């Protein structure tokens, strides 16, 4: 199983980007999916979470600007980011709790990260 993130890039302050992360390979189910980010010189931090049910949760500073969603049929999680500021500059990572086979153990997987740079 692999997670592949994409959609990062360079954008001006106030702009928008949409990140995608697709899980590929042989898997049975995906439970929680998350986006994290790690800015320059900072620790990795949680951005948003979405459960299999579709319930979402956000870090306070992202509420109202970021929207996490998922397409379970495509094993994909998205992060719509609006009103971006230079403080949002970071490498964004997707994370998912995946069970590879029925009756198997759920494990956490990470994508490779996608760079988001917001210019002022």
């Amino acid at each position: 199983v692999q997670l592949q993130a994409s959609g990062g890039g360079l954008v001006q302050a106030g702009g928008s980007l949409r990140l995608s992360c697709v899980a590929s390979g042989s898997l049975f189910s995906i439970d929680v999916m998350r986006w994290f980010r790690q800015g320059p010189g900072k620790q990795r931090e949680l951005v948003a979470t979405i459960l299999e049910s579709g319930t979402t949760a956000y870090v306070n500073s992202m509420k109202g600007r970021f929207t996490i969603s998922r397409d379970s049929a495509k094993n994909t999680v998205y992060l719509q980011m609006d009103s971006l500021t230079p403080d949002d500059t970071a490498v964004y990572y997707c994370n998912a709790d995946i069970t590879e086979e029925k009756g198997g153990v759920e494990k956490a997987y990470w994508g490779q990260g996608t760079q988001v740079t917001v210019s002022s």
Side-chain angles (χ1 to χ4, degrees), residues 94-112:
C94 55
N95 164 275
D97 297 337
I98 296 174
T99 302
E100 292 187 25
E101 57 187 17
K102 187 176 182 180
V105 176
E106 186 176 272
K107 294 186 284 188
Y109 289 84
W110 289 89
Q112 85 288 3

Side-chain angles (χ1 to χ4, degrees), residues 55-109:
T55 300
T56 59
Y58 300 89
V59 172
N60 282 340
S61 61
M62 280 61 140
K63 280 183 181 178
R65 298 191 303 122
F66 290 7
T67 303
I68 189 172
S69 61
R70 66 191 285 174
D71 184 335
S72 295
K74 296 181 179 180
N75 293 334
T76 301
V77 62
Y78 305 97
L79 186 68
Q80 176 67 40
M81 304 185 294
D82 299 316
S83 302
L84 287 163
T85 74
D87 287 341
D88 295 315
T89 294
V91 178
Y92 284 73
Y93 298 90
C94 55
N95 164 275
D97 297 337
I98 296 174
T99 302
E100 292 187 25
E101 57 187 17
K102 187 176 182 180
V105 176
E106 186 176 272
K107 294 186 284 188
Y109 289 84

